[in-house]
Amino acid sequence: MSGERIEGTGPEGVTAEKAATAQAGPVKAMVLCSGGVDSTTLLAMACNKYGSGNVHALSISYGQKHNREIESAKAVAKYYGVEQRFLDLSAIFADSNCSLLVQSTEDIPQESYAEQLEESDGSPVSTYVPFRNGLFLSSAASMALSLGCSVLYYGAHHDDWAGNAYPDCSQEFVDAMAAAISQGTGGELHLEAPFVQWSKADIVREGLRLGVPYELTWSCYEGGEKPCGVCGTCIDRQRAFELNGTTDPLLS
């Protein structure tokens, strides 16, 4: 692992540097930024690699039950001094009963992803928003290309797609979207997802090395002043910090 080099996941291993050889000026990057641990670590890596002035953060509202993650994304973008853009795609998910969404009749599960998967018979967990990340990446690709970016960063990681919890975080999904984005932009934009084979603990380890301000981030599926500590993402986050011999700053 290294914050100095972010490998490409697109067809034929094309990297942003290679894509930029035919264009003048520095490489510009866009990072999908939710305000959580994974995307904030990725934003730190991109800023470290390209410089904050060449990085755009894109934060997307999708009809979630609270706005804490968007507020955290704003705080993170301000901390790193990057330009931030926003999209509201909530109308697309208006008919979904995903437990993360404001119109849902379902409660957010208060158990680990492993426990949820045992009950789902291999289907995605109830907090899976229908093809959300495919929509996010398609929208981000259009915006990134319009802003002159040659690389789009996506923070999917192994723990999210293990057991098919979130199929739009898997290696197969990333490879397919990378191919589509490269093909659909004439090779001008490339998707990179350097965490897709990393665990959340790996990501936190790298973030600690880079001095990521995790106290500004938010992962909990519930709103409020403090994380609930019992939803799947809270459990994963707390464990990731523990595996690195430290405490989540939101719990200290």
Side-chain angles (χ1 to χ4, degrees), residues 32 60-62 89-90 92-98 100-101 124-140 154 164-170 172-178 180-181 191:
L32 278 171
I60 301 177
S61 298
Y62 55 93
L89 301 177
S90 56
I92 294 176
F93 303 109
D95 297 310
S96 170
N97 199 36
C98 166
L100 285 190
L101 302 177
V125 295
S126 75
T127 48
Y128 165 72
V129 184
F131 202 64
R132 183 191 70 173
N133 293 334
L135 179 65
F136 282 12
L137 289 170
S138 297
S139 301
Y154 171 45
N164 200 43
Y166 294 100
D168 56 354
C169 291
S170 70
E172 291 79 7
F173 171 80
V174 167
D175 290 344
M177 289 301 296
I181 288 171
L191 175 65

Side-chain angles (χ1 to χ4, degrees), residues 214-238:
Y214 287 127
E215 69 277 6
L216 299 180
T217 65
W218 185 263
S219 303
C220 180
Y221 288 145
E222 304 282 0
E225 293 301 315
K226 286 285 187 179
C228 73
V230 293
C231 69
T233 190
C234 273
I235 293 170
D236 273 12
R237 175 174 171 145
Q238 182 175 343

Side-chain angles (χ1 to χ4, degrees), residues 19-252:
T21 55
Q23 68 180 36
V27 173
K28 292 185 178 181
M30 173 169 281
V31 180
L32 278 171
C33 187
S34 70
V37 163
D38 314 318
S39 66
T40 300
T41 305
L42 192 56
L43 183 65
M45 292 170 67
C47 289
N48 189 55
K49 186 176 184 67
Y50 301 115
S52 297
N54 297 310
V55 176
H56 298 270
L58 174 60
S59 301
I60 301 177
S61 298
Y62 55 93
Q64 55 268 57
K65 289 179 176 177
H66 64 82
N67 66 351
R68 278 298 303 267
E69 58 188 22
I70 295 295
E71 292 306 312
S72 290
K74 291 178 181 178
V76 166
K78 182 178 179 180
Y79 178 90
Y80 284 105
V82 301
E83 181 181 345
Q84 187 175 26
R85 298 295 179 95
F86 300 91
L87 282 177
D88 185 347
L89 301 177
S90 56
I92 294 176
F93 303 109
D95 297 310
S96 170
N97 199 36
C98 166
S99 60
L100 285 190
L101 302 177
V102 67
Q103 75 272 9
S104 178
T105 60
E106 302 293 328
D107 292 328
I108 294 171
Q110 296 184 347
E111 56 187 357
S112 70
Y113 291 129
E115 292 171 319
Q116 293 176 54
L117 286 168
E118 287 180 3
E119 300 166 4
S120 71
D121 296 323
S123 299
V125 295
S126 75
T127 48
Y128 165 72
V129 184
F131 202 64
R132 183 191 70 173
N133 293 334
L135 179 65
F136 282 12
L137 289 170
S138 297
S139 301
S142 295
M143 186 175 288
L145 198 64
S146 299
L147 290 169
C149 297
S150 58
V151 57
L152 171 61
Y153 287 115
Y154 171 45
H157 63 87
H158 178 271
D159 294 354
D160 273 348
W161 60 271
N164 200 43
Y166 294 100
D168 56 354
C169 291
S170 70
Q171 182 71 66
E172 291 79 7
F173 171 80
V174 167
D175 290 344
M177 289 301 296
I181 288 171
S182 180
Q183 181 69 29
T185 63
E188 292 186 27
L189 182 68
H190 297 273
L191 175 65
E192 300 191 12
F195 299 156
V196 71
Q197 292 293 341
W198 290 21
S199 69
K200 202 173 197 75
D202 293 332
I203 295 170
V204 169
R205 184 176 305 115
E206 179 66 5
L208 292 171
R209 186 185 73 81
L210 292 172
V212 170
Y214 287 127
E215 69 277 6
L216 299 180
T217 65
W218 185 263
S219 303
C220 180
Y221 288 145
E222 304 282 0
E225 293 301 315
K226 286 285 187 179
C228 73
V230 293
C231 69
T233 190
C234 273
I235 293 170
D236 273 12
R237 175 174 171 145
Q238 182 175 343
R239 180 62 174 160
F241 280 94
E242 290 175 347
L243 288 172
N244 282 286
T246 189
T247 303
D248 181 351
L250 294 186
L251 302 178
S252 58

